[in-house]
């Protein structure tokens, strides 16, 4: 099995930290967030990994190398200009064209059950399965509304107050059919803002898996502070 671990974001909202390190290299529970994601993949037998880079790429490549020290195989891409969470996959299109694959946001920490997405796509036949977790404050997140079978009816990125009653937040973990590349442009595009809403408008089935899983985000100073406070093992 294969996975893309998205690692190109600059983390501009926490620039006091990311000025000297890529956001996925922030230390959490004693190691970089990206290392936790590599370990998550390996624990499910996902060992062919693809990592996109942009900001300080040498920091990531020098640490992980070809992945052999971590029991995986890693291929990298470099984006001179950030392509976004969706178009960032296009540099790996030839390697991902033959079978479904995972996409994991490399700057989130999670213990999500990856195989639950695999099983859902087998049962549903959808183009994509998105992992969701519950969050009280959804103002800085992507949320979804579903039918009784878990089919996504509406995908809302960073909802305004009162825009939705859903508290199921995009966990930044997807399982995608390779046909998804037909919907992804070469120019900048984002799954939450562009690709998933477009697929829904075209009646392409997308499903969600909602789990009570630990997911920590580090996107804003508030999220960073809250995530680090929950873990006494964080080493500043």
């Amino acid at each position: 099995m294969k996975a893309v671990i998205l690692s190109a974001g600059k983390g501009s909202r926490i620039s006091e930290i990311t000025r000297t390190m890529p956001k996925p290299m922030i230390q959490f529970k004693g190691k970089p967030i990206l290392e936790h994601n590599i370990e998550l993949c390996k624990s499910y037998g996902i060992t062919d990994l693809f990592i996109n880079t942009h900001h300080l790429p040498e920091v990531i490549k020098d640490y992980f190398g070809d992945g052999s020290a971590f029991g995986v195989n890693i291929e990298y891409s470099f984006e001179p200009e950030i392509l976004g969470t969706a178009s960032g996959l296009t540099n790996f299109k030839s390697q991902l064209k033959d079978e479904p694959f995972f996409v994991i946001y490399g700057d989130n920490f999670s213990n999500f059950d990856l195989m639950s997405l695999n099983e859902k796509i087998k049962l549903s036949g959808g183009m994509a399965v998105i992992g969701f977790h519950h969050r009280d404050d959804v103002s800085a997140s992507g949320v979804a509304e579903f039918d009784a079978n878990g089919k996504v009816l509406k995908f809302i990125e960073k909802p305004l107050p009162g825009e939705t009653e859903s508290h199921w937040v995009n966990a930044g973990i997807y399982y995608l059919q390779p046909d998804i590349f037909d919907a992804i442009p070469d120019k900048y595009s984002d799954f939450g803002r562009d690709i998933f809403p477009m697929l829904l408008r075209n009646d392409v089935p997308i499903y969600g898996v909602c789990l009570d899983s630990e997911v920590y985000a580090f996107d804003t100073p508030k999220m960073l502070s809250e995530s680090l406070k929950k873990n006494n093992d964080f080493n500043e």
Side-chain angles (χ1 to χ4, degrees), residues 102-119:
F102 291 92
V103 173
I104 298 173
Y105 288 21
D107 55 4
N108 287 351
F109 172 87
S110 170
N111 64 352
F112 214 89
D113 178 4
L114 299 182
M115 288 304 104
S116 65
L117 279 70
N118 177 289
E119 291 301 317

Side-chain angles (χ1 to χ4, degrees), residues 47-122:
T47 56
D48 290 329
L49 307 181
F50 304 87
I51 296 176
N52 67 331
T53 63
H54 169 71
H55 177 56
L56 301 175
E58 68 281 357
V59 175
I60 293 175
K61 295 180 73 173
D62 289 348
Y63 188 94
F64 294 106
D66 64 2
S68 58
F70 300 86
V72 297
N73 307 305
I74 300 176
E75 293 186 35
Y76 299 92
S77 70
F78 173 70
E79 300 172 14
E81 298 292 333
I82 291 178
L83 291 172
T85 60
S87 294
L89 273 59
T90 57
N91 287 324
F92 303 120
K93 184 176 180 179
S94 63
Q95 296 97 317
L96 301 171
K97 64 182 180 179
D98 296 325
E99 61 184 277
F101 58 91
F102 291 92
V103 173
I104 298 173
Y105 288 21
D107 55 4
N108 287 351
F109 172 87
S110 170
N111 64 352
F112 214 89
D113 178 4
L114 299 182
M115 288 304 104
S116 65
L117 279 70
N118 177 289
E119 291 301 317
K120 187 67 174 180
I121 212 166
K122 290 178 182 177

Side-chain angles (χ1 to χ4, degrees), residues 6-195:
L6 297 172
S7 304
K10 293 184 67 174
S12 57
R13 288 176 290 181
I14 52 170
S15 58
E16 70 279 1
I17 294 175
T18 57
R19 187 177 296 110
T20 58
M21 74 169 68
K23 188 180 173 188
M25 296 301 288
I26 292 174
Q27 292 282 313
F28 186 69
K29 292 189 175 183
K31 62 185 70 173
I33 304 167
L34 181 52
E35 186 172 347
H36 287 290
N37 283 304
I38 289 173
E39 291 176 347
L40 177 68
C41 289
K42 184 183 175 185
S43 71
Y44 285 97
I46 306 165
T47 56
D48 290 329
L49 307 181
F50 304 87
I51 296 176
N52 67 331
T53 63
H54 169 71
H55 177 56
L56 301 175
E58 68 281 357
V59 175
I60 293 175
K61 295 180 73 173
D62 289 348
Y63 188 94
F64 294 106
D66 64 2
S68 58
F70 300 86
V72 297
N73 307 305
I74 300 176
E75 293 186 35
Y76 299 92
S77 70
F78 173 70
E79 300 172 14
E81 298 292 333
I82 291 178
L83 291 172
T85 60
S87 294
L89 273 59
T90 57
N91 287 324
F92 303 120
K93 184 176 180 179
S94 63
Q95 296 97 317
L96 301 171
K97 64 182 180 179
D98 296 325
E99 61 184 277
F101 58 91
F102 291 92
V103 173
I104 298 173
Y105 288 21
D107 55 4
N108 287 351
F109 172 87
S110 170
N111 64 352
F112 214 89
D113 178 4
L114 299 182
M115 288 304 104
S116 65
L117 279 70
N118 177 289
E119 291 301 317
K120 187 67 174 180
I121 212 166
K122 290 178 182 177
L123 293 171
S124 68
M127 173 72 74
V129 176
I130 305 168
F132 291 90
H133 70 110
H134 188 276
R135 185 179 293 166
D136 291 332
D137 180 6
V138 300
S139 60
S141 307
V143 301
E145 298 173 354
F146 316 90
D147 69 11
N149 295 317
K151 186 177 180 180
V152 177
L153 301 176
K154 190 175 184 181
F155 198 88
I156 308 161
E157 184 70 20
K158 296 180 176 59
L160 299 172
E163 189 174 358
T164 180
E165 295 182 0
S166 175
H167 286 267
W168 288 108
V169 170
N170 181 355
I173 298 173
Y174 313 138
Y175 194 53
L176 307 175
Q177 300 282 6
D179 290 348
I180 194 77
F181 283 108
D182 293 338
I184 298 176
D186 293 332
K187 63 182 181 180
Y188 181 98
S189 67
D190 178 86
F191 277 115
R193 296 188 185 91
D194 306 311
I195 304 304

